[in-house]
Amino acid sequence: MTYIAKPRVHHPALQKNEIGLTRRDYEGTVTTLCAGCGHDSITAAIIHAFWELSIPPHTVAKLSGIGCSSKTPAYFLKEAHGFNSVHGRMPSLVTGANAANGAITYIGVSGDGDSLSIGLGQLCHAIRRNVNVLYVLENNGVYGLTKGQFSASADPGSLSKRGEPNTMEAIDGCLMALTLGATFVARSFSGDKAQLVPLLKAGLKHKGFAFIDVISPCVTFNDHEGSTKSYAYTRENTVEVVQADFIAPAKAITTEYDPGAVREVTMHDGSTVRLRKVADDYDPADRDRAYHYIRKKHAEGEVVTGLLYISTDSKDMQAQNSLGATPLVQLPYEQLCPGSAELAKLQQQFR
Amino acid sequence: MTYIAKPRVHHPALQKNEIGLTRRDYEGTVTTLCAGCGHDSITAAIIHAFWELSIPPHTVAKLSGIGCSSKTPAYFLKEAHGFNSVHGRMPSLVTGANAANGAITYIGVSGDGDSLSIGLGQLCHAIRRNVNVLYVLENNGVYGLTKGQFSASADPGSLSKRGEPNTMEAIDGCLMALTLGATFVARSFSGDKAQLVPLLKAGLKHKGFAFIDVISPCVTFNDHEGSTKSYAYTRENTVEVVQADFIAPAKAITTEYDPGAVREVTMHDGSTVRLRKVADDYDPADRDRAYHYIRKKHAEGEVVTGLLYISTDSKDMQAQNSLGATPLVQLPYEQLCPGSAELAKLQQQFR
Amino acid sequence: MNRVNEFAFKIATANGSGSASANSLIMQAIFRMGVPVTGKNVFPSNIQGLPTWYEIRVSGKGYTARTPQFDLMVALNPATYEKDVKEVQPGGWLLHDSTWPLDERLHRSDITLIGIPLAQMCNDHFSGVRERILMKNIAYAGALSALLGIDADIIRTLLKEKYGRKPALMDSNQKAVDLGFTYAMSNFPCPLPIHLAPLDKTKDAILIDGNTAAALGCVYAGATVGAWYPITPSTSMMEAFKRFCLKYRRDTESGTNRFAILQAEDELSAIGMVIGANWAGARSFTPTSGPGISLMNEFLGLAYYAEIPAVVFDVQRTGPSTGMPTRTQQCDLMMCAYASHGDTKHICLYPSDPREAFEFAVKAFDLAERYQTPVFVLTDLDIGMNDWMVPMLQWDDSYRPDRGKVLTAEQLAEAKAFYRYLDVDGDGIAARSLPGTHPKGAYFARGSGHNKFGGYTEDAEEYTEVVDRIARKVNGARRAVPAPVTQGPGNARLGILTVGGCHAACMEAVDQLAAEGIVVDYMRVRGFPFGEEVTAFLEKHETVFVVEQNRDGQLRSLLTLETGVPVARMESVRYYGGYPMSAHHVIAGIRARLEKVA
Amino acid sequence: MNRVNEFAFKIATANGSGSASANSLIMQAIFRMGVPVTGKNVFPSNIQGLPTWYEIRVSGKGYTARTPQFDLMVALNPATYEKDVKEVQPGGWLLHDSTWPLDERLHRSDITLIGIPLAQMCNDHFSGVRERILMKNIAYAGALSALLGIDADIIRTLLKEKYGRKPALMDSNQKAVDLGFTYAMSNFPCPLPIHLAPLDKTKDAILIDGNTAAALGCVYAGATVGAWYPITPSTSMMEAFKRFCLKYRRDTESGTNRFAILQAEDELSAIGMVIGANWAGARSFTPTSGPGISLMNEFLGLAYYAEIPAVVFDVQRTGPSTGMPTRTQQCDLMMCAYASHGDTKHICLYPSDPREAFEFAVKAFDLAERYQTPVFVLTDLDIGMNDWMVPMLQWDDSYRPDRGKVLTAEQLAEAKAFYRYLDVDGDGIAARSLPGTHPKGAYFARGSGHNKFGGYTEDAEEYTEVVDRIARKVNGARRAVPAPVTQGPGNARLGILTVGGCHAACMEAVDQLAAEGIVVDYMRVRGFPFGEEVTAFLEKHETVFVVEQNRDGQLRSLLTLETGVPVARMESVRYYGGYPMSAHHVIAGIRARLEKVA
Ligand SMILES: Cc1ncc(C[n+]2csc(CCOP(=O)(O)OP(=O)(O)O)c2C)c(N)n1
Ligand SMILES: Cc1ncc(C[n+]2csc(CCOP(=O)(O)OP(=O)(O)O)c2C)c(N)n1
Ligand code: SF4
Ligand code: SF4
Ligand SMILES: [Mg+2]
Ligand SMILES: [Mg+2]
């Protein structure tokens, strides 16, 4: 894990990285998300990670599905090609792009609806293929953009805006990824930049599918723990009054705490999430142990964060397909077309 | 597990069950699968299970996707409604049907391509919903009907008909189901009727999603363990010679062995699968232990069979949706329509 | 033109700022004054911060189409000042928040500025960020009440109805209204020349959006299983269905529901659930929009070929692809008519407003079950999400669902044999049976080749026999879909033919043309396949203007394909920028063509 | 009619019994005799046991269409005896296995029985179940060689080419051939009146199926990324592409590939991969069939609107839904032309045989990149999976891919600014850039509303400007798609217009009509949107027979929609039972209409 060092702190915004770029050079257009949305914090962390790694922005491609989370690639790396595609199907796009040009650094941004509902099949199969991409799942337990329906990561028992309980099991993206043989599995919290930035960097450097589930509170529809009290409060005092179209300006939730520690984070609606950061001596090389640990802590009401599992010796899709160092897009046509003489020769088979 | 008793043996085919029906009454049309196909053995076990449970055939609905496996509902319970639908999407059909009429016994039959490739998302979400259905995944590691491409359950390293190795991780339906919170997870082997019949019966009686992964050798394209030798042999001696359109008649593979024991089963191509039957004292009530056990044995080259996990106190979809004892389809219209007076009253809100 | 009770105004704010309550308060108050009113919510695909507008048209004459000509603009969003100020009609008014110095972009010599210190007033009188922002909205409503002559008592009543049980809220809202009202009264000549005067034209009407009305239709039709995946602009339909079901279909004693709402993982799954539920015998439906229909294509072909009822509401939005999810269009006409690969054709219903959305929802289930096939109800964002003034919904208590040919256990027991796809009656419709009914009712539904007995086939004749019957069956539905609505002398040279929500704009255009001495016959189609009267209408008129909201003239395409009338006989009038069609667009389109011809 | 080199026969066996080798041995031998020959494989959607047929037509005149009239039936499948025996033309022959007593269903007084004890002979001469079954097939090939005068030396040579390296296999095959040959020779008057005589009409031709040819086209076009999900009848296309790539694109030294083949988890994913790869700059394609296209609808709209190239091969099969997966139809014409919700239109290419499948595959990539949009190549099961005799494929080594407007790093560096959707050249086509090229090339591709600069928009004018340009762009492709093929005097009263694989049947029908004194002009469209010559052809002829293989006249629909020519001017001639179109169907259809008119 040598490449997951703590980020250096206290950079002035205009400090230059190794290739002479400032953090500003890694920004995108201005966000249109709700003030305080966790997704914006993740955007900031992504900008930071790319900047720290001194990756030339134009050598990056950023892809997403549809949702509030999927809008965010517009808000970072304006010099990178972006693709805000269709709902839930970004994994296949990034797979195709990766086959075509493996010399690009790929980042995919998605939401829990995008990834775990409509896109579950594609996500699972991209993991299985070990496509070389950093896949960031901005997980808020709801469909933000369509106004707060439960997503598949909503906890059982949590309450909707209207006060109806979610009756189904939540899908845990990390457990799913581990089960599918993912080669990099991590979880973090949007407000924990100190943890998130190095994880993003590790994911970018990982050769294969780097899955990061980032808990990212939705200011507007978030109800992560389903604390009835807080929602009841909101319903009584806000929702009915303004016909649900008033979104109170909020601050993004941030937290910093030490490896091995547990931190209770209060969400916008007053509910809490207990985060447990894996300890420094946690060994992310054992898939089964990682699975077990997540399950165990979950049973204790804790959400484990950190780099949960990594395998560094597995082949990514490029390697599995025996692709060479020169990306397919750069092969000259002459190396692709067998020519007329060969065609004539070949056709003797068809006689 | 009281309802998983060993099946009574030595029934003459015309013996009657509690409702006076013979096994013949539970049959369907004649199979059109290859002689020796594992799927036909599963069909026989299904017939047996329904017969033993004395379920009136017309109170059953049998659904499937597309594939050799998905054809099989035609071959059992001719007096049950059947639905051979589209590829990979049967879970949603059975979900809708179940909501409409919970008084029917549902059985869904699918293949590994149908369930784990195109249908992965739907399967996962039906599991999550805990739809009350016995879901039989007839798992042969290939797409039989389209002639032998790898499915998502093909083992890494196994060879295709043409001798190319599969480079990807296999999806293990049972691990997946356990991770998704499935309430009934089992695995069996098509040729092990002694084990399969009671599992099917248990699945039929389970109130919720009963997932049974049945390893079912494909006579024609099967390459389960990827033993290079056996395939090389086939290629040299058969495939080229007859342009791959000759399907040698074969016998279905059967096996019988004791709980707790390991049995090496030879597939049609000469490769072998090591099956381990859970011991009588195996406790299927612990989800994490089940997961761990499957993984551990898998690492040792064994495929665990038996009832791996069951939860009897979880709510199925019907219960989660607060549906009453009378199925929705049987509610008289009068109980559904609020009437004109109520409409007039309601409309005062819209003024 | 008399400007009393005939004008339009627009309110520009930012999304998520809570202005919706104020806007609907204004709408409702005007409605209660007995004056016909329409509101169009022009909102972004965003949750907080992007520009949003609310357009209110007041029309004593009863015109409900959108008008793009605004007499008054309430410009409260600095981000769109420039655009907003341009939209005011010469001689019109611009209301702005004078808390801050006037933005240069708000200067225009031909309009009158009305500055009201909304923020200032609310900061002075309320505490807390939330309340200050919220009350600013209510304050502009108060100002508008003074400026436009909206009855203050009615506003008070409305606030009471809403906050009656929460006196504190009631008080602050009333205070905010008063603040705006008083300030306007004391600083401007109230009311403005554009203002309201009480009428009695709304007493048998309601204000309702099409998604709510359609959901209510599903309840009244006896639909029990709703499956869906959220997508703008259809989402609120299932939310309404849920609300109504909880109200009417919940047995509180036993805690059981007489409905099931399944939030699917995507649209493929939603339509699968609907088909599964219908196959099992429930009336089941799914609301969606264009991208959802695209995803449902494969399943729709299955339902068509295996002959399973299904009701799909397509609340259309601007395409292609994700397009503009919060803008309206009629751009899925072709896709719905022929969805899925292979030879298919589907019954479509085209309501023109929420009232018809209610009625056609019911009709859709009857047709789906009678013809055992998918039925689409095509509305659009404008019909689905905007509040329309429509006559009160009526219900005939003698209505009973038309389940079509469904064999009972008794009928099956008596029958010699049951063959699922046998056309016994010669009408192209074979009887079906439901799972669980009777051993003799069993059949094997499949999307693969089958013969009339329901057996699997790869035989040319057997296959052809079944698909030919299905074609006959679906074409037969032309006699059962709602007949076109017509108007006009019947023998005019020119015709206007339209569909769905363009109705309001066309009716207004017809009046305007008449005023200019141009007489036209009018027809609005309401169902597909088209009945013979549609062909007759096209053949009878020298020129027919086909008015619709899509780029490629999809209604015209359907007309050409299905009636055989050449395209050249139809002049296409299209607007597809994402706003609802207005009379202005219709007239402009027609005029351009008439001039071209002349 | 002279029956030498003009006849057809059919072989009925069971699927999986290994008869395919024998059948292609027969085909190839006839071909090597210089006699034009066509084979149609009529197989079930099953792996083992269900009935399967192989139809061989011999035509010295070079007719390659299917004929439904068989002079000789080789009836080896008891399950279909009854059906098979009916299909023999009066005066024809029936070959059966006389090992068993004659089945009653094989009695017909007007045909001649040829009994050969195939099973008996093989049981006597071979050992082991496998060999006995396999050799039975080769034995009937030997018998046919004697009966039909197929050159025995050629058969020997073919066996040598195939089994040269395996003498034991060579020997048993030759023995089986000889057994059948000798038995026929000694027991029947060989050759029959229908028989072969050497010609020299195949020397510049090959026998190839369309999937193989199309795959080869992809290789020659420089396509590097193939994504797919198996589906009959398209599966063999990707298998062929893989074979060719392993042969031509594998660097054995380094063990690296100059291609990537991605077996997707379904068709939604396959088209996603194709769009992703094309967006990244690779030529990428997917082969599929109807159900796959249905599933791709949403993504196709994205590619259309975000303007990303994509090449999709639709090897059509009998719809709707799963339909008859192993039968042919042209039933996706409408779906492909307008796939996806919203206003869309797609370029389509319609090869008529494997040679054109090769050529149009190359063309498809050029058009997709030039117009930055999805391009469909529509073949069908008949073209895709059957062996056709076509002229040898030609390749011009000077060909270089038309990548369209793709800006290089240098161009981007020099440019003031790059705006993705700006129509700089006025041809409706904006330049694109590829990821990784240059910082100035960056843009944000999206399926949501965007303006010409590539920015997100919900503005009516900005939105309209872009979709209007896209419509112009795609319509512009009418000048770039392959021009229609025409034949005839040009001034005939009647015309025949068709598409794709109906060509062969139509050409034969044209000759037959000419023989009856009926002169027709002929046109086969090869690309969509249609060029002006198509409109001209329709307008010029009193009646045009539109010949196609689907129930609803989809080609006629496209013609009506796109040319404006009224449906009434077109007489629809359709056959859609799942077999390839034959001249018989064309003539019958035309005759029925001519009589109706007369
Ligand atoms: C095919 C399709 N169905 C539905 C939608 C509507 N839709 C847009 S975003 C979204 C959910 C987004 O949820 P998530 O991915 O969790 O993102 P969030 O907004 O919460 O960040 C849905 C259902 C769509 N755009 N496309
Ligand atoms: C949408 C769609 N894509 C592809 C196919 C073609 N297809 C039919 S069966 C099948 C695979 C079946 O594999 P599996 O489910 O494992 O069943 P098996 O035949 O092995 O029992 C495929 C790809 C199809 N019918 N529909
Ligand atoms: S709705 Fe929620 S997820 Fe969407 S931008 Fe607002 S806070 Fe973020
Ligand atoms: S191909 Fe395989 S799976 Fe299909 S019927 Fe034959 S043996 Fe069974
Ligand atoms: Mg979310
Ligand atoms: Mg399989």
Side-chain angles (χ1 to χ4, degrees), chain C residues 230-257:
Chain C
I231 184 166
T232 309
S234 72
T235 304
S236 60
M237 180 173 165
M238 198 53 102
E239 288 170 349
F241 183 72
K242 185 173 225 164
R243 225 164 38 238
F244 292 130
C245 282
L246 286 173
K247 189 176 164 97
Y248 297 123
R249 298 259 196 88
R250 190 164 168 76
D251 187 342
T252 35
E253 249 170 72
S254 65
T256 58
N257 293 338

Side-chain angles (χ1 to χ4, degrees), chain C residues 40 206-217 351-361 379 382-391 393:
Chain C
K40 304 289 182 200
I206 53 170
L207 277 179
I208 192 170
D209 66 78
N211 285 349
T212 302
L216 205 49
S352 67
D353 62 18
R355 186 187 41 93
E356 278 191 348
F358 171 76
E359 292 168 7
F360 290 11
T379 64
D382 179 30
I383 298 174
M385 291 189 70
N386 284 322
D387 277 338
W388 290 57
M389 191 191 85
V390 294
L393 310 180

Side-chain angles (χ1 to χ4, degrees), chain A residues 129 322 333 340 347 350-351, chain D residues 205 207 220 257 263 393 397:
Chain A
R129 276 188 188 91
S322 305
Y333 176 66
S340 65
Q347 289 182 84
F350 302 131
R351 289 191 46 87
Chain D
L207 278 179
Y220 275 74
N257 292 339
Q263 185 186 309
L393 310 180
D397 284 321

Side-chain angles (χ1 to χ4, degrees), chain A residues 104-134:
Chain A
I104 298 255
T105 300
Y106 291 95
I107 175 169
V109 180
S110 179
D112 41 334
D114 201 64
S115 281
L116 302 179
S117 295
I118 190 167
L120 186 61
Q122 289 218 342
L123 170 60
C124 291
H125 282 275
I127 290 175
R128 216 183 134 239
R129 276 188 188 91
N130 203 19
V131 181
N132 190 8
V133 59
L134 166 62

Side-chain angles (χ1 to χ4, degrees), chain A residues 58-64 66 70-74 77-87 89-101 104 106 118 121-123 125-126 129 317 321-325 328-329 331 333-351, chain D residues 28 31-32 202-208 212 216 219-222 224-225 244 247-250 255-266 268-269 272-273 275-277 279-282 298-299 302 308 358 392-395 397 399-401 433-439 441-448:
Chain A
H58 81 279
T59 65
V60 178
K62 46 187 190 175
L63 295 95
S64 63
I66 296 283
S70 292
K71 288 180 177 183
T72 63
L77 271 66
K78 59 183 161 311
E79 287 183 348
H81 267 61
F83 201 155
N84 183 200
S85 65
V86 289
H87 195 29
R89 319 289 177 188
M90 173 264 283
S92 61
L93 288 175
V94 90
T95 302
N98 200 292
N101 190 351
I104 298 255
Y106 291 95
I118 190 167
Q122 289 218 342
L123 170 60
H125 282 275
R129 276 188 188 91
M317 185 187 70
N321 281 276
S322 305
L323 294 176
L328 292 177
V329 290
L331 293 174
Y333 176 66
E334 291 66 27
Q335 288 190 27
L336 302 174
C337 179
S340 65
E342 187 55 46
L343 187 62
K345 199 170 127 204
L346 176 73
Q347 289 182 84
Q348 293 314 312
Q349 283 181 19
F350 302 131
R351 289 191 46 87
Chain D
Q28 230 179 329
F31 181 81
R32 292 266 181 110
T202 68
K203 69 171 176 304
D204 297 326
I206 52 171
L207 278 179
I208 191 171
T212 301
L216 206 50
V219 172
Y220 275 74
T224 51
V225 179
F244 292 131
K247 187 177 167 102
Y248 297 124
R249 299 260 195 87
R250 189 165 168 76
T256 58
N257 292 339
R258 296 192 299 280
F259 67 94
I261 293 174
L262 306 170
Q263 185 186 309
E265 63 274 23
D266 63 11
L268 284 97
S269 180
M273 292 173 181
I275 294 170
W279 172 73
E298 192 197 15
F299 249 140
L302 174 71
I308 299 166
F358 172 75
M392 279 193 70
L393 310 180
Q394 302 298 329
W395 188 250
D397 284 321
Y399 168 86
R400 283 299 171 279
S433 63
L434 303 179
T437 313
H438 190 276
Y443 74 98
F444 203 63
R446 46 162 72 86
S448 48

Side-chain angles (χ1 to χ4, degrees), chain B residues 33-34 37 39 68 140 144 218-221, chain D residues 47:
Chain B
L33 303 186
C34 303
C37 177
H39 301 349
C68 295
N140 55 15
C218 168
V219 181
T220 305
F221 305 107
Chain D
I47 304 299

Side-chain angles (χ1 to χ4, degrees), chain D residues 292-514:
Chain D
I293 306 282
S294 274
L295 288 171
M296 293 177 186
N297 262 270
E298 192 197 15
F299 249 140
L300 289 165
L302 174 71
Y304 172 83
Y305 190 30
E307 300 184 68
I308 299 166
V311 173
V312 179
F313 292 84
D314 179 3
V315 187
Q316 296 165 98
R317 66 190 212 184
T318 301
S321 194
T322 301
M324 299 195 291
T326 59
R327 294 289 183 273
T328 200
Q329 242 182 21
Q330 299 172 311
C331 57
D332 302 336
L333 302 181
M334 282 283 283
M335 152 134 313
C336 290
Y338 306 115
S340 210
H341 61 280
D343 289 302
T344 59
K345 184 146 106 187
H346 308 291
I347 298 172
C348 297
L349 305 181
Y350 309 112
S352 67
D353 62 18
R355 185 185 45 90
E356 279 190 348
F358 172 75
E359 292 168 8
F360 289 9
V362 179
K363 186 88 191 164
F365 288 98
D366 286 345
L367 292 173
E369 293 208 297
R370 174 141 28 123
Y371 292 97
Q372 303 171 12
T373 200
V375 172
F376 291 92
V377 182
L378 289 100
T379 63
D380 55 33
L381 181 139
D382 179 31
I383 298 175
M385 290 189 71
N386 283 322
D387 277 338
W388 290 57
M389 191 190 84
V390 294
M392 279 193 70
L393 310 180
Q394 302 298 329
W395 188 250
D396 175 357
D397 284 321
S398 71
Y399 168 86
R400 283 299 171 279
D402 177 355
R403 304 295 312 263
K405 299 180 190 170
V406 179
L407 298 179
T408 62
E410 296 69 43
Q411 288 172 319
L412 286 164
E414 276 165 27
K416 259 227 179 88
F418 163 68
Y419 295 114
R420 173 64 183 95
Y421 298 109
L422 204 59
D423 182 5
V424 177
D425 306 325
D427 58 357
I429 305 174
R432 65 185 181 124
S433 63
L434 303 179
T437 313
H438 190 276
K440 272 203 221 153
Y443 74 98
F444 203 63
R446 46 162 72 86
S448 48
H450 48 272
N451 60 25
K452 63 183 167 195
F453 305 114
Y456 179 80
T457 196
E458 291 174 356
D459 179 86
E461 280 70 36
E462 290 188 347
Y463 159 83
T464 306
E465 189 177 13
V466 172
V467 295
D468 283 354
R469 176 183 57 70
I470 295 176
R472 233 169 29 245
K473 177 188 79 167
V474 173
N475 278 326
R478 69 181 66 227
R479 284 179 293 271
V481 299
V485 162
T486 54
Q487 185 183 299
N491 59 359
R493 250 185 61 231
L494 303 177
I496 290 181
L497 198 160
T498 193
V499 67
C502 295
H503 181 66
C506 286
M507 294 314 294
E508 190 174 343
V510 165
D511 284 358
Q512 284 187 33
L513 290 171

